[in-house]
Amino acid sequence: MLRIHVLAGQALVWRSEDAREIRERHRLVGTLVGALARTPRQNVRLGLPLQLLPEEARLLAEMGAAVLVRSTDAQPQEQSAQASEAQLYEQGLEKSYQQQRCMAAQERRAQLANLAERIAQGRARKQQQQRKLPDTAPLPGPAEEREHLESAFVFPHESMMVQLPTARPCPGQEEQVDWTQPSWDWPHAGHQEHETRYCVFRDLWGRGYYVTSGSKFGGDFLVYPGDPMRFHAHYIALCCPPGASLPLCDVVAAARLGTSVKKTVLLCSTGEDGVVIYTSLQWSGLQ
């Protein structure tokens, strides 16, 4: 079962296998919010963890495909276990460094063997120059020169490749979070706005659409006919809780924005029987 870690209302997926299954099997996209280790100062390409919308996390939990969990405070015995894990990790790094150092030294020897002919030619030129100069010390032989080059080889720790694990082999203590009851970790349960958004999200997802966050276009959701990596969004969904007021200026702004980005704006609400009602908007200007 997929494990979704929640903290202060945020739902995060840390395992790459879980993130892949969520997208390929359940048609849920989420948003990568983690920095990449090699390029931490950019925000164009991001990595794990995968942040899910509250509606995405609830849908997975409601289907029985995932469980919401939160980390508990570390106990003294757990702290000692973490210290031993850190020590094992440091030993693994040192072992990896020694292995990489040996491999780099072998590659250095291979490079010297390939350059043996050039080294011999350079030694011959130096010997010719040495004959012209009086009282000059003899040049070292090929074996001595190669041994000198190998002994001068240094492999710094900064040059080693480090494997960054994406999941802990021994996760800490966790406890399950009840998504049907409001709490500090999951404050969305019971809120009318969240219930409306979830009903709309579940209905659109059930129709076969891909649904993502619509904040960049001023909406609640963006609705795609297929995978967002291959298609543009066709709809901008605005969720309106039953009985909530909707100012006319907001309707006009949403319609004009949708027309300018070539997307249809959907006003989405739920009826008394729970059926989702959709109203499409299109800006045609004033005559």
Side-chain angles (χ1 to χ4, degrees):
M1 183 174 292
L2 303 173
R3 306 186 72 80
I4 302 175
H5 296 257
V6 295
L7 177 65
Q10 304 295 329
L12 302 174
V13 177
W14 291 92
R15 298 181 70 248
S16 57
E17 295 83 359
D18 292 348
R20 181 175 181 178
E21 182 177 353
I22 287 173
R23 187 182 186 98
E24 295 182 353
R25 182 177 179 182
H26 301 290
R27 291 188 292 106
L28 299 175
V29 180
T31 305
L32 293 172
V33 296
L36 299 179
R38 293 188 178 274
T39 52
R41 298 182 181 274
Q42 54 83 41
N43 57 0
V44 178
R45 297 178 180 271
L46 299 176
L48 294 175
L50 177 72
Q51 182 176 351
L52 300 177
L53 295 173
E55 294 74 24
E56 293 175 323
R58 177 177 172 180
L59 180 63
L60 290 172
E62 193 175 84
M63 293 189 304
V67 59
L68 305 185
V69 298
R70 73 178 186 92
S71 300
T72 59
D73 296 334
Q75 301 298 327
Q77 58 270 21
E78 184 180 353
Q79 294 178 356
S80 61
Q82 292 178 354
S84 62
E85 289 181 15
Q87 185 177 3
L88 291 176
Y89 179 73
E90 294 293 338
Q91 294 176 359
L93 285 181
E94 182 61 25
K95 182 178 179 181
S96 176
Y97 169 76
Q98 297 297 337
Q99 293 176 350
Q100 294 183 42
R101 185 177 181 276
C102 293
M103 294 175 62
Q106 293 176 1
E107 185 178 357
R108 178 63 172 173
R109 295 190 190 97
Q111 292 177 352
L112 293 177
N114 294 333
L115 297 176
E117 184 177 354
R118 291 187 180 180
I119 295 175
Q121 293 177 356
R123 186 182 304 108
R125 287 194 298 268
K126 291 182 179 180
Q127 288 177 353
Q128 292 178 359
Q129 295 176 359
Q130 183 180 5
R131 294 191 187 98
K132 299 179 181 179
L133 298 176
D135 300 333
T136 304
L139 294 175
E144 296 177 354
E145 186 170 355
R146 182 177 300 180
E147 183 179 356
H148 173 71
L149 292 175
E150 290 184 1
S151 62
F153 172 73
V154 177
F155 184 70
H157 281 79
E158 293 78 9
S159 300
M160 68 176 293
M161 298 180 62
V162 180
Q163 181 181 4
L164 299 178
T166 58
R168 292 181 59 186
C170 300
Q173 295 183 358
E174 298 173 345
E175 64 180 13
Q176 188 171 346
V177 176
D178 186 5
W179 56 269
T180 62
Q181 300 295 329
S183 62
W184 184 82
D185 295 292
W186 190 255
H188 311 289
H191 288 196
Q192 184 180 18
E193 182 179 355
H194 169 71
E195 296 298 331
T196 302
R197 284 170 53 94
Y198 177 70
C199 289
V200 173
F201 181 91
R202 182 180 57 185
D203 185 74
L204 291 172
W205 180 85
R207 295 172 183 264
Y209 293 104
Y210 281 73
V211 186
T212 66
S213 174
S215 58
K216 63 180 179 181
F217 287 109
D220 292 296
F221 303 116
L222 288 179
V223 186
Y224 295 80
D227 194 311
M229 296 293 292
R230 302 176 57 188
F231 296 90
H232 289 287
H234 285 190
Y235 306 101
I236 302 175
L238 295 176
C239 300
C240 306
S245 60
L246 187 61
L248 180 60
C249 59
D250 293 345
V251 175
V252 173
R256 294 192 64 177
L257 176 61
T259 302
S260 64
V261 297
K262 299 181 181 180
K263 303 183 191 317
T264 301
V265 176
L266 297 178
L267 296 180
C268 313
S269 184
T270 55
E272 296 180 355
D273 53 356
V275 177
V276 181
I277 304 172
Y278 300 97
T279 304
S280 62
L281 299 179
Q282 184 177 6
W283 175 259
S284 59
L286 297 176
Q287 303 296 333

